[in-house]
Amino acid sequence: MLQEQLEQTPTIRTITELLAEVRLNSEENITFQIFDILRDLIVSVKLRPGQRLSEKEIAAALSASKTPVREALIRLDEIRLVKIVPQSGTYVTKISVSRYRTACFIRLQLELGAVWGAASSPDPLVGIEELDDILTRQAEALARKDYDWFFTLDEAFHRQLFVMAGFGDAWAAAHRTQFDVNRARHVRRLHQILRGPAVLEEHKLIVEAIRAQDPKRAQEALRAHIGDLDRQISVLFRDERMLGFIEMPETN
């Protein structure tokens, strides 16, 4: 069974293949561009945990010098998406259960505050039309089985909660902690572990509570949507399809 699951996993693509259509903008900071490109490839699991990254190969693929590539990799090492091993190379890190747990806690606490603020707004209709539009587009994405677009819209939905609460900047802060959470979501997508219809219905319940100016119900709907943290962690450990993607904790 496990062998069949591994065989169904899409083939790992080389960095040269992944960067084949990418072009850098010479008028913008090259290091920042390379950082953003590699970060997105790692978070979307197009670059897999354990995959080796070559400065020379990246530089050649992007027609860039090694210096900005090296600087971008150092930045990625600082946020623990890659690990630079002296005399060995640079490798994409595995999903850390510890960082995953911390990220879930941060997201839950901040979004509970955001959804309360959105539902407590003097005029809840201000901004809610954007949520309605996102729900419509998510339903269309599901119908087309466009799961990448559905994920992008999911991000937009949660960001809008912060905007409606008057804390749009807080979304950016929360988002920077979610790399391992999003990587786990993309691994599930690779294995067709999809719950799009359920997510859409949960989003609708959140919107209904905000429209009704019921902050307590809005928080309850959000908590049900994000789910119990301990249950999420236990699912990560039990699911064989996560094999090779997760950094297991050390045992005594």
Side-chain angles (χ1 to χ4, degrees):
M1 180 65 174
L2 178 56
Q3 182 61 34
E4 292 177 358
Q5 291 170 345
L6 292 175
E7 290 174 352
Q8 293 170 2
T9 302
T11 304
I12 296 176
R13 299 171 66 190
T14 67
I15 192 68
T16 298
E17 293 170 334
L18 290 169
L19 297 177
E21 303 299 322
V22 177
R23 298 293 180 270
L24 299 178
N25 185 343
S26 61
E27 296 182 359
E28 298 181 2
N29 186 290
I30 299 299
T31 296
F32 291 170
Q33 290 182 71
I34 296 173
F35 170 85
D36 288 342
I37 291 165
L38 296 178
R39 178 202 59 206
D40 291 346
L41 289 174
I42 292 170
V43 172
S44 63
V45 200
K46 292 174 182 175
L47 284 172
R48 305 294 179 83
Q51 190 167 347
R52 188 176 186 277
L53 303 182
S54 162
E55 283 184 18
K56 182 178 180 180
E57 186 179 2
I58 295 169
L62 294 174
S63 299
S65 67
K66 286 187 179 181
T67 299
V69 173
R70 185 177 303 113
E71 292 174 350
L73 291 174
I74 290 172
R75 290 174 179 269
L76 289 166
D77 181 80
E78 290 172 350
I79 61 174
R80 300 181 184 179
L81 286 180
V82 306
K83 183 175 180 60
I84 299 174
V85 182
Q87 310 304 317
S88 177
T90 300
Y91 302 87
V92 178
T93 59
K94 292 186 177 181
I95 297 168
S96 164
V97 173
S98 174
R99 292 198 302 274
Y100 182 97
R101 188 173 189 278
T102 299
C104 287
F105 176 80
I106 291 171
R107 177 188 174 189
L108 177 61
Q109 299 308 312
L110 289 179
E111 289 204 30
L112 285 173
V115 80
W116 181 282
S120 301
S121 170
D123 187 356
L125 296 182
V126 175
I128 205 165
E129 65 276 3
E130 177 67 20
L131 291 179
D132 289 333
D133 181 59
I134 291 171
L135 292 181
T136 298
R137 287 184 287 161
Q138 280 195 301
E140 294 170 350
L142 278 181
R144 298 194 306 268
K145 297 185 178 180
D146 188 344
Y147 302 119
D148 284 340
W149 181 233
F150 185 87
F151 176 82
T152 298
L153 291 168
D154 183 81
E155 295 279 279
F157 179 90
H158 288 276
R159 179 183 180 279
Q160 181 63 11
L161 298 179
F162 285 85
V163 171
M164 292 177 66
F167 296 103
D169 290 345
W171 163 255
H175 193 255
R176 285 193 293 270
T177 70
Q178 301 300 302
F179 295 135
D180 278 2
V181 171
N182 289 334
R183 284 208 285 170
R185 291 171 69 182
H186 281 293
V187 171
R188 295 189 185 101
R189 179 181 55 80
L190 283 175
H191 291 289
Q192 299 297 303
I193 311 172
L194 307 170
R195 55 183 302 272
V199 168
L200 186 57
E201 291 305 313
E202 291 162 6
H203 281 180
K204 289 179 180 178
L205 292 176
I206 294 171
V207 173
E208 288 174 7
I210 293 173
R211 199 188 313 274
Q213 290 187 282
D214 188 337
K216 183 176 181 181
R217 180 153 63 96
Q219 282 193 331
E220 291 172 350
L222 178 75
R223 192 183 294 276
H225 171 54
I226 292 179
D228 177 75
L229 178 57
D230 290 333
R231 181 183 62 79
Q232 288 194 50
I233 298 300
S234 66
V235 168
L236 283 179
F237 279 115
R238 290 200 310 269
D239 197 329
E240 289 183 335
R241 287 164 293 194
M242 301 297 288
L243 182 69
F245 292 95
I246 290 187
E247 179 182 272
M248 304 298 284
E250 295 182 359
T251 57
N252 295 327

